[in-house]
Amino acid sequence: MIDKSVTRTWIMRGTFVLLALTILFFNLLPLQTTPRTWAGPDLLLGFAFAWVLRRPDYVPPLLLAGIFLLSDLLLQRPPGLWSLLALLGCENLKGRIRNLRDSTFAAEWVAVAVVTTMVLMGNRLILAIVMVPVPSLTLSLSELGATLLSYPLIVLVTHGVLGVRRPTTTDLDSMGYRA
């Protein structure tokens, strides 16, 4: 008989993939034909951070790498750079889970803000080093600000609508250890 926790894990992994593909679909839609001076939030990165901080078993590194690489290819970014930086950011946050579990949402938001800033600025720095055209600083800062301002809404959707909640101390992970 299949364990319910294993089934739930795979259902939630499929839900994350579906969510990521939906976000990418709407990013590819030509909603505005003139260039904008501001950028919207990076919802894919925000949802990845929210899911990693709540249930890292739902978003394993290989799944995240594949989703971010697909986004690089579809959004015509240098393949692999954003994927690597976003995956490093997710793994950094995954390492902070124990410290953030008992803290407030404000501490989580600050941790996400620091990691998001490092990912975006690292991307700009690496693009500048290899002499690839870098987006304007105002565009990058507006994306950073929009992502950070939308993070509470992302967490609300993740927690309230999708049901991705932090495990309690009595929950056991898939290997039988306390979470």
Side-chain angles (χ1 to χ4, degrees), residues 23-166:
I23 291 169
L24 287 173
F25 173 75
F26 282 106
N27 280 339
L28 291 172
L29 285 179
L31 299 176
Q32 187 174 0
T33 56
T34 59
R36 297 184 298 185
T37 57
W38 58 275
D42 189 343
L43 294 176
L44 187 56
L45 187 67
F47 274 105
F49 285 171
W51 282 54
V52 160
L53 285 172
R54 272 146 192 75
R55 293 302 295 256
D57 55 324
Y58 290 168
V59 282
L62 193 57
L63 176 69
L64 286 172
I67 292 292
F68 284 126
L69 185 60
L70 179 66
S71 75
D72 280 351
L73 296 173
L74 290 177
L75 300 177
Q76 298 181 355
R77 294 187 290 225
L81 175 61
W82 183 257
S83 305
L84 175 67
L85 293 173
L87 185 61
L88 288 174
C90 288
E91 291 300 311
N92 184 316
L93 286 174
K94 200 181 287 188
R96 299 181 189 192
I97 287 176
R98 293 204 188 273
N99 296 336
L100 292 173
R101 181 176 295 147
D102 300 327
S103 62
T104 63
F105 176 72
E108 175 186 335
W109 199 3
V110 168
V112 168
V114 168
V115 171
T116 304
T117 303
M118 298 311 287
V119 168
L120 285 170
M121 293 305 139
N123 186 43
R124 287 184 58 81
L125 179 67
I126 292 171
L127 288 176
I129 288 172
V130 296
M131 293 186 223
V132 174
V134 179
S136 71
L137 184 60
T138 56
L139 198 62
S140 295
L141 290 176
S142 69
E143 180 181 18
L144 174 65
T147 302
L148 295 180
L149 288 175
S150 66
Y151 187 72
L153 182 62
I154 289 170
V155 169
L156 183 69
V157 169
T158 297
H159 184 80
V161 177
L162 299 174
V164 180
R165 294 175 177 82
R166 288 187 176 140

